[in-house]
Amino acid sequence: MHVIGTVGLPGSGKGEAATVAREDGIPVVTMGDVVRQETADRGLDPTKDHGTVAQELREENGPTAIAERSLPMIEDRLENHDTVLVDGLRSGVEVDVFEEAFGDAFTLVSIEAPFDVRAERIDDRGRDASAAEGGEDLAARDERERGFGMDDAMDRADVVVENTDSLEAFHDRIRSIIRGTDDEKRAEAEADP
């Protein structure tokens, strides 16, 4: 069993890392999907109200609310897979939840990129409402994410990936992390039957 968590500011490449995992047959639990579902359940627009609902969930149920809602989904996928990728941790207390649940089987990967690169990526993907459309601008999103404790989570990463090169190079780096982890787990299993 191995759980790989990703952390990074908006537009850093967490979604691309999840794409690589899926391509390698590794199931992905996206913490943002928990928030998007809750946003829809509350009758709100996920493209505009995502951040507000994420904050409300943490205020209503504590700072670990989203991580705790993700645990059953992760455990479900581990029933049929050796590795699961958890996309989008936001704080040190969320890291604590996964470290407590999975111990040494949990690896945290921080995906990092400069502000201007992330801003361009967010504009290109067209998934989020811009500030002009009633959404948040990137600086406000960064501030909100950091308010959740993201800097602490990023500082605690086991692996840091600087995502400033080509998309292909980033995919190769993530793939090597995922496959390297799988090789290590196989070697451990063979050494300790």
Side-chain angles (χ1 to χ4, degrees):
M1 170 184 77
H2 196 238
V3 177
I4 302 168
T6 60
V7 61
L9 289 165
S12 61
K14 298 179 303 294
E16 284 296 325
T19 296
V20 172
R22 287 185 189 100
E23 288 172 354
D24 267 22
I26 295 172
V28 175
V29 173
T30 303
M31 293 180 64
D33 287 347
V34 171
V35 177
R36 279 184 274 283
Q37 183 60 53
E38 181 67 21
T39 304
D41 290 349
R42 293 182 182 200
L44 301 170
D45 182 349
T47 66
K48 295 180 183 177
D49 300 311
H50 183 270
T52 303
V53 172
Q55 196 160 350
E56 288 174 358
L57 275 172
R58 289 175 173 95
E59 288 169 0
E60 295 164 5
N61 302 296
T64 60
I66 298 166
E68 289 170 358
R69 286 184 182 206
S70 300
L71 283 175
M73 294 184 282
I74 297 164
E75 290 162 354
D76 179 63
R77 284 153 183 85
L78 284 170
E79 288 180 17
N80 297 311
H81 296 87
D82 293 331
T83 303
V84 173
L85 185 132
V86 182
D87 173 17
L89 281 78
R90 296 290 191 272
S91 68
V93 295
E94 290 179 346
V95 173
D96 292 340
V97 167
F98 295 119
E99 286 179 344
E100 183 176 318
F102 304 110
D104 290 340
F106 178 71
T107 301
L108 183 62
V109 178
S110 180
I111 302 172
E112 302 177 8
F115 182 89
D116 58 330
V117 171
R118 293 184 300 107
E120 184 176 321
R121 289 177 183 158
I122 287 172
D123 286 345
D124 289 347
R125 72 185 182 195
R127 184 180 77 192
D128 305 307
S130 69
E133 299 165 325
E136 287 179 288
D137 68 17
L138 184 56
R141 289 179 66 190
D142 282 359
E143 185 177 331
R144 176 175 42 84
E145 299 282 344
R146 287 191 156 109
F148 293 146
M150 184 169 291
D151 289 330
D152 177 39
M154 292 171 72
D155 289 344
R156 292 173 57 185
D158 301 298
V159 179
V160 175
V161 176
E162 292 290 337
N163 185 9
T164 55
D165 204 348
S166 69
L167 184 60
E168 181 181 352
F170 177 69
H171 280 203
D172 289 345
R173 175 75 170 117
I174 295 298
R175 198 170 289 111
S176 72
I177 291 168
I178 291 169
R179 291 179 180 170
T181 301
D182 287 345
D183 291 342
E184 287 172 21
K185 299 312 282 182
R186 269 196 227 79
E188 285 176 20
E190 290 170 6
D192 190 25

